[in-house]
């Protein structure tokens, strides 16, 4: 007798070729029925005369699913047998609560690349070629179900040839929503520096011709614009730096192919895999010496941010142009990426010499993801294109919560059921354009997933614009959570760990419950609450937040605290020593900080490596570059018990040790190596003491300091060798880009009545 089952499949099953896969699989097994997209995922009804055939069908659904599909759940129900003549794909339904997922933007697949470069193919040289296995997704979606009328492709009417492919379940382009060809799809246009259209038959050729002459061209990709320049041209790269206001921070480069990447950089198997992956992120690779790229691309840095061409337009440009192009976000310093044509022309006036644009709208901007391969895993530095909005799966279900992130490296996180949907990188909210982008990203995320948020969670710092926005939402309750507790909770959440851990949370700044600025913390707890087991002793920061751009002032604060006065050192020559000393003596405008990041700044300035920063974290980066590896004896440190019971780490001996090494003629390299060893040994010691007190052997490493490979890998290895289980970030950044995830899971604990804060 015939049997019929209904399967409700949830996960990333729309826009990834899942329906044609199911159609072909059902026909292969001789089944009748249908499949359709719904707001709750994919609904399949399959009917057959052989129960074993239905079981094989269900098994193959999971075992043979398309590579970009992610099945998270599959509920099966028996239903009445119907008189279906065949298995068909039926029209989508958009009723009901949205529970399905939108796939990220995906790099050009191998099949489309071959067609793009095949003179006999009807899409030869077409810069918008795509199929169900590749192309734009998240950045063109207005709402779901993910169907063409709900995307920014709705204005392009398919020609008969594309229409046939679109409706043919045996085609690779069946229901590929961005499907198009030169007859019916988007088109390229070249604009001059003022935004006027230039009459030319070959817009990419015009752009490349100007790049070869040293020009800077804004190129519209999938999630927004890049600023492109010849990476081997010193003058062009220097010009780009001046115009963009990015004096020293490294630029990313796009190289022609994997072979070119290997000529410029060393590649491990994991790094090679990341470059070639569908996500196609920027990967920070170790540079080979003596290659031909301009030194101005990544000055003083032994790593180079490299990506491969991921869109068909990029492939066409790299096939015909220089083997390496600077491809940096199209913005002025600290602004979000430009993604609208008119906006790009306006915002990039005086930066770009021309614009290579197209008429396919980008619905929401999404920058390139930046990653690094450390300690056996690919780690996110900036999580955006290729990964967003793929969810981070958390361990439990509960109310919907929105975490709105921090001030710098802002992201937002929608926590819905077991899905933590962390947004793309938004940027520094002190910048007006970034704050506008914050609104756009937040609203888009809630709209496409039809969120019914019960709580907004913000950082405890009252002056953050994300905090101020949250407090203005009077229709919803708002919870303020401590910055470093959110870091701890974020790492636990992405590792699906609900148990307490010892959290080593090291970063530059975070508002503390005592009104001081924290940043060198060892917490013990979980998402429901934590206690402050240890911290660095607080030191005065002359000038407050403004001092973070001037590490010499930070160093003055540490030296004044350790010595009682400012000693004679080279880095203080020509500086306003008297003014800073007076501020420190009188404690005027000098808030207290326990930040580990500021200690790195202080040592970098004392070594005269970086006294004024051109970008966030520059001093720590240059100190790490000077070290190269861990070596030497650690500097000393001392501990005492604070009145509140926590362990207080006194860094005066560290500062005095660095001072003595400088006065005795120690090299910067040797001092930096010893300092990095000190940080590793110090926090291993503190964790060991916390373990004795608590019985815990699980350790979390979080915070922006752990972007430093020497500290991260050194401490992780030492802890593992010491018998600890070490939980780290890989799905979200360890920096503030992962903070919104921690906020959201803490918020869910609050709604469940389990939140106790930081004690």
């Amino acid at each position: 007798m015939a049997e019929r089952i209904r399967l409700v499949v949830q996960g990333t099953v729309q826009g990834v070729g899942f329906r044609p896969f199911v159609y072909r699989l059902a026909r292969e097994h001789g089944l009748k029925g249908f499949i359709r997209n719904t707001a709750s995922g994919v609904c399949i009804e399959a009917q057959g005369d052989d129960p074993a055939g239905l079981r094989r069908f269900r098994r193959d659904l999971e075992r043979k699913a398309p590579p970009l599909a992610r099945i998270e759940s599959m509920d099966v129900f028996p239903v009445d047998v119907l008189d279906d003549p065949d298995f068909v794909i039926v029209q989508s339904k958009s009723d009901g609560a949205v529970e399905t997922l939108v796939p990220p933007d995906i790099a050009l697949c191998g099949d489309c690349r071959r067609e793009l470069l095949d003179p006999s193919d009807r899409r030869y040289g077409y810069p918008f070629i795509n199929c169900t296995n590749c192309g734009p997704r998240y950045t063109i979606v207005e709402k779901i179900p993910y169907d063409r009328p709900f995307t920014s492709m709705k204005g392009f009417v398919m020609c008969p040839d594309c229409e046939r492919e679109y409706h043919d379940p045996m085609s690779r382009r069946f229901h590929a929503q961005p499907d198009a060809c030169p007859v019916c799809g988007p088109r390229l246009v070249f604009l001059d520096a003022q935004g006027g259209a230039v009459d030319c038959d070959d817009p990419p050729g015009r752009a490349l011709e100007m790049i070869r002459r040293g020009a800077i061209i804004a190129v519209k990709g999938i999630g927004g614009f890049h600023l492109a320049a010849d990476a081997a041209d010193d003058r062009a790269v220097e010009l780009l730096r001046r115009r963009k206001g990015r004096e020293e921070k490294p630029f990313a480069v796009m190289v022609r192919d994997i072979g070119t990447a290997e000529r410029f950089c060393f590649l491990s198997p994991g790094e090679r895999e990341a470059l070639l992956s569908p996500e196609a992120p920027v990967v920070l690779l170790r540079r080979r010496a003596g290659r031909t790229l301009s030194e101005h691309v990544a000055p003083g840095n032994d790593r180079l941010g490299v990506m491969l061409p991921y869109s068909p337009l990029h492939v066409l440009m790299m096939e015909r142009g220089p083997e390496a192009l600077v491809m940096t976000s199209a913005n002025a310093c600290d602004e979000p990426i430009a993604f609208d044509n008119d906006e790009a022309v306006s915002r990039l006036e005086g930066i770009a010499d021309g614009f290579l644009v197209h008429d396919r709208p980008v619905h929401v901007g999404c920058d390139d993801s930046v990653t690094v391969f450390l300690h056996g895993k690919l780690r996110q530095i900036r999580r955006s294109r290729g990964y967003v909005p793929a969810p981070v799966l958390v361990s439990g279900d509960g109310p919907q919560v929105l975490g709105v992130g921090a001030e710098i490296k802002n992201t937002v996180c929608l926590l819905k059921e077991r899905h933590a949907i962390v947004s793309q990188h938004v940027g520094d909210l002190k910048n007006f354009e970034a704050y506008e982008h914050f609104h756009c990203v937040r609203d888009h995320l809630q709209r496409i997933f039809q969120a019914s948020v019960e709580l907004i969670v913000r950082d405890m710092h009252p002056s953050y614009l994300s905090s101020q926005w949250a407090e203005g939402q009077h229709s919803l309750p708002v919870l303020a959570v401590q910055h470093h507790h959110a870091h701890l909770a974020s790492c636990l959440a992405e590792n699906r760990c609900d148990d307490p851990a010892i959290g080593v949370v090291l970063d530059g700044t975070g508002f503390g419950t005592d009104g001081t600025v924290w940043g060198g913390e060892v917490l013990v707890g979980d998402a429901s609450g934590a206690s402050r087991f240890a911290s660095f002793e607080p030191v005065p920061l002359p000038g407050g937040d403004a001092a973070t751009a001037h590490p010499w002032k930070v160093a003055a604060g540490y030296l004044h605290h350790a010595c009682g006065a400012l000693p004679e050192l080279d880095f203080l020559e020509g500086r306003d020593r008297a003014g800073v000393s007076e501020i420190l003596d009188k404690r005027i405008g000098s808030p207290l900080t326990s930040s580990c990041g500021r200690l790195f700044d202080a040592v970098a300035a004392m070594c005269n490596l970086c006294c004024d920063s051109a970008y966030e974290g520059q001093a720590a980066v240059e100190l790490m570059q000077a070290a190269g590896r861990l070596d030497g004896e650690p500097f000393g440190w001392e501990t005492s018990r604070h009145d509140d019971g926590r362990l207080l780490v006194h860094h005066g001996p560290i500062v005095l040790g660095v001072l003595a090494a400088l006065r005795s003629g120690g090299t910067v390299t040797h001092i930096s190596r010893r300092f990095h060893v000190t940080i590793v040994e110090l926090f291993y010691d503190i964790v060991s003491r916390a373990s004795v007190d608590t019985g815990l052997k699980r350790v979390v490493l979080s915070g922006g300091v752990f972007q430093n490979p020497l500290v991260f890998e050194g401490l992780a290895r030492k802890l593992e060798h010491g018998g600890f289980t070490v939980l780290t970030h890989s799905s979200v950044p360890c920096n503030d880009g992962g903070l919104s995830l921690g906020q959201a899971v803490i918020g869910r604990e609050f709604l469940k009545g389990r939140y106790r804060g930081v004690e």
Side-chain angles (χ1 to χ4, degrees):
M1 291 183 61
E3 291 188 14
R4 189 180 183 95
I5 55 173
R6 176 179 297 150
L7 302 98
V8 177
V9 184
Q10 296 184 355
T12 307
V13 290
Q14 295 188 16
V16 292
F18 193 73
R19 284 183 296 174
F21 155 72
V22 173
Y23 173 86
R24 292 189 291 268
L25 189 65
R27 292 173 69 92
E28 177 186 323
H29 287 283
L31 304 178
K32 300 176 182 180
F34 67 83
I35 179 173
R36 71 165 175 249
N37 283 345
T38 72
S40 59
V42 167
C43 179
I44 304 166
E45 289 197 8
Q47 179 175 314
D49 296 329
D50 179 12
L54 281 173
R55 287 195 296 271
R56 287 192 295 271
F57 172 73
R58 288 172 52 185
R59 178 198 64 198
D60 289 347
L61 275 177
E62 296 187 90
R63 290 176 54 185
K64 299 180 179 180
L68 298 177
R70 298 290 182 270
I71 296 176
E72 293 177 6
S73 67
M74 185 165 65
D75 297 321
V76 184
F77 311 95
V79 293
D80 293 337
V81 173
L82 300 176
D83 188 22
D84 290 327
D86 207 341
F87 193 93
V88 296
I89 299 173
V90 299
Q91 186 175 357
S92 301
K93 287 189 175 181
S94 59
D95 57 326
V98 173
E99 297 172 16
T100 191
L101 299 170
V102 176
D105 299 313
I106 301 159
L108 187 70
C109 70
D111 290 331
C112 284
R113 183 187 177 98
R114 283 188 289 273
E115 293 172 351
L116 177 70
L117 302 177
D118 180 1
S120 67
D121 193 272
R122 74 184 188 93
R123 291 186 175 86
Y124 171 62
Y126 184 58
F128 305 98
I129 188 172
N130 65 86
C131 69
T132 54
N133 297 321
C134 67
R137 299 293 196 272
Y138 173 62
T139 55
I140 65 170
V141 175
E142 298 175 7
K143 64 178 182 177
I144 52 177
Y146 174 62
D147 285 336
R148 194 173 180 112
F150 306 136
T151 75
S152 59
M153 286 295 295
K154 62 187 177 185
F156 298 94
V157 179
M158 286 184 284
C159 68
D161 288 336
C162 288
E163 187 84 22
R164 278 192 294 274
E165 291 173 332
Y166 184 83
H167 292 290
D168 179 5
M170 305 306 290
S171 168
R172 203 176 80 250
R173 293 187 170 86
F174 176 75
H175 279 223
Q177 308 307 336
D179 186 26
C181 76
V183 174
C184 62
R187 300 173 185 272
L188 289 174
V189 177
F190 190 82
L191 309 177
D192 61 25
Q194 289 73 45
V198 176
D199 186 15
C200 64
D201 296 330
D202 181 14
R206 179 63 175 264
L208 290 169
E209 177 188 350
M210 293 183 66
I211 287 172
R212 289 190 190 95
R213 298 202 306 261
I216 297 162
I217 302 298
V219 180
K220 187 177 182 180
I222 290 180
F225 281 81
H226 288 107
L227 289 168
D230 186 346
D233 186 336
D234 280 338
R235 191 197 65 81
V237 179
E238 283 188 285
L239 180 65
L240 176 56
R241 287 201 175 278
R242 288 199 303 273
R243 291 182 179 179
K244 189 175 162 72
R246 185 165 167 172
E247 297 173 12
E248 298 179 63
K249 189 176 181 180
F251 286 136
V253 297
M254 181 176 285
V255 299
R256 185 172 296 159
D257 50 32
I258 196 71
T260 307
E262 288 177 324
R263 287 202 304 276
F264 290 126
C265 300
F266 298 99
L267 264 66
S268 69
E271 291 165 337
R272 181 185 177 91
E273 180 182 351
L275 285 172
L276 293 168
S277 70
E279 293 81 8
V282 175
V283 184
L284 301 181
L285 304 173
R286 293 195 178 278
R287 301 172 70 170
R288 294 183 188 270
R291 298 303 174 182
T292 57
L293 293 187
S294 169
E295 284 301 316
H296 301 294
V297 170
N301 201 305
D302 67 350
R303 288 185 182 260
L304 186 66
V306 176
M307 59 180 157
L308 297 182
Y310 58 83
S311 80
L313 176 57
H314 294 145
V315 170
L316 293 173
M317 292 184 69
M318 299 309 298
E319 285 287 313
R320 299 167 56 187
E323 62 179 356
L325 292 175
V326 168
M327 280 284 195
T328 186
S329 304
N331 52 18
C333 187
D334 295 330
E335 292 181 357
I337 188 172
F339 61 90
D340 175 78
N341 292 352
D342 292 339
E343 171 204 21
V345 171
S346 172
R347 283 176 50 193
L348 301 176
E349 181 181 4
I351 300 177
D353 297 306
F355 299 82
L356 184 57
V357 306
H358 57 75
D359 55 355
R360 181 178 67 201
V362 176
H363 191 68
V364 62
C366 194
D367 218 329
D368 293 318
S369 294
V370 180
T371 63
V372 63
F373 199 87
L374 295 174
H375 202 52
K377 283 186 179 181
L378 190 70
R379 315 280 175 175
Q380 299 285 336
I381 301 295
R382 183 176 72 195
R383 184 179 184 269
S384 288
R385 176 194 49 78
Y387 299 95
V388 174
V392 177
L393 291 181
V394 297
S395 60
D397 203 341
Q400 293 184 29
V401 179
L402 182 70
V404 296
E407 185 91 321
I408 296 175
K409 296 182 175 65
N410 177 268
T411 62
V412 299
C413 175
L414 173 63
L415 186 58
K416 185 176 182 181
E417 298 172 345
R418 293 183 63 235
H419 297 142
I421 305 165
V422 181
S423 78
Q424 65 269 45
H425 171 80
V426 174
D428 180 355
L429 298 190
K430 293 178 182 177
N431 179 283
F432 174 76
E433 285 79 7
Y435 186 56
E436 291 292 300
H437 190 44
F438 164 78
H439 292 302
C440 174
V441 168
R442 186 197 65 241
D443 292 346
H444 181 247
L445 205 65
Q446 294 184 85
R447 183 171 61 253
I448 64 173
F449 293 109
Q450 295 183 6
S452 299
V453 170
E454 298 183 30
L455 176 71
I456 297 173
V457 187
R458 67 167 179 88
D459 191 272
M460 189 175 284
H461 199 302
S463 298
Y464 286 176
L465 288 178
S466 54
S467 298
Q468 293 179 9
W469 173 84
E471 290 298 335
Q473 306 310 298
H474 302 299
S475 60
L476 286 171
V478 177
L479 175 68
V481 302
Q482 203 280 319
H483 188 94
H484 301 94
H485 184 208
H487 271 299
L488 168 66
S490 175
C491 192
L492 287 171
E494 79 157 278
N495 286 279
R496 300 185 211 175
C497 178
D498 297 322
D499 297 321
I502 301 167
V504 182
V505 186
L506 310 178
D507 63 2
T509 184
F511 196 77
T513 57
D514 60 0
T516 66
V517 179
W518 295 3
E521 314 303 316
V522 178
L523 306 178
V524 176
D526 54 26
S528 64
S531 60
R532 197 181 184 198
F533 179 84
S535 72
F536 276 126
E537 66 172 318
V539 297
L541 190 64
D545 281 349
T548 61
H550 304 285
W552 77 268
K553 292 184 179 180
V554 179
Y558 278 82
L559 285 164
H560 189 276
H561 184 74
C563 305
L566 294 186
E568 295 288 339
L569 284 173
D570 290 346
F571 83 93
L572 288 171
E573 289 185 10
R575 306 286 181 181
D576 183 14
R577 293 180 47 171
V580 169
S581 293
E582 182 179 6
I583 289 174
L584 290 166
D585 287 337
K586 296 180 178 179
R587 294 293 178 92
I588 302 170
S590 300
L592 296 175
T593 179
S594 61
S595 166
C596 186
R598 298 291 80 81
L599 181 58
F600 274 80
D601 289 349
V603 174
M606 288 174 65
C607 293
N608 216 9
L609 278 172
C610 181
C611 294
D612 296 286
S613 296
Y615 61 90
E616 186 205 2
Q618 182 180 2
V621 168
E622 295 194 4
L623 188 64
M624 179 195 69
Q625 293 291 328
R629 58 185 170 86
L630 298 175
D631 188 42
E633 290 295 317
F635 296 110
W637 68 87
E638 296 175 356
T639 61
S640 65
R641 284 288 174 187
H642 191 270
D643 292 342
D644 61 12
R646 78 178 185 273
L647 200 63
L648 206 59
V649 181
H650 299 277
H651 36 56
I654 300 174
V655 174
L656 293 174
V658 172
L659 181 61
L662 287 168
R663 285 174 167 169
S664 65
T667 66
V668 171
T669 294
H670 185 56
I671 292 170
S672 180
R673 287 175 179 172
R674 289 186 63 194
F675 174 72
H676 281 82
V677 168
T678 304
I679 297 299
V680 171
E681 295 291 339
L682 186 162
F683 282 101
Y684 180 80
D685 176 61
I686 300 299
V687 167
S688 299
R689 295 165 75 168
S691 180
V692 169
D693 279 13
T694 65
L696 295 173
K697 297 292 286 185
R698 185 182 301 105
V699 183
V700 158
L701 304 182
S702 190
V705 168
F706 287 111
Q707 292 175 149
N708 182 319
L710 299 181
V711 173
F712 174 67
E713 293 188 319
L715 184 55
R717 288 194 186 107
K718 190 169 182 66
L719 287 167
E720 288 170 350
H721 291 160
F724 291 95
T725 298
V726 182
L727 303 182
T728 59
H729 291 277
S730 58
S731 297
V732 299
C734 66
N735 60 43
D736 283 3
L739 202 73
S740 61
L741 168 60
Q743 292 173 337
V745 295
I746 290 172
R748 183 171 278 180
E749 291 297 296
F750 173 81
L751 291 175
K752 291 179 178 180
R754 298 198 288 244
Y755 177 69
R756 64 181 189 277
V758 177
E759 301 165 349

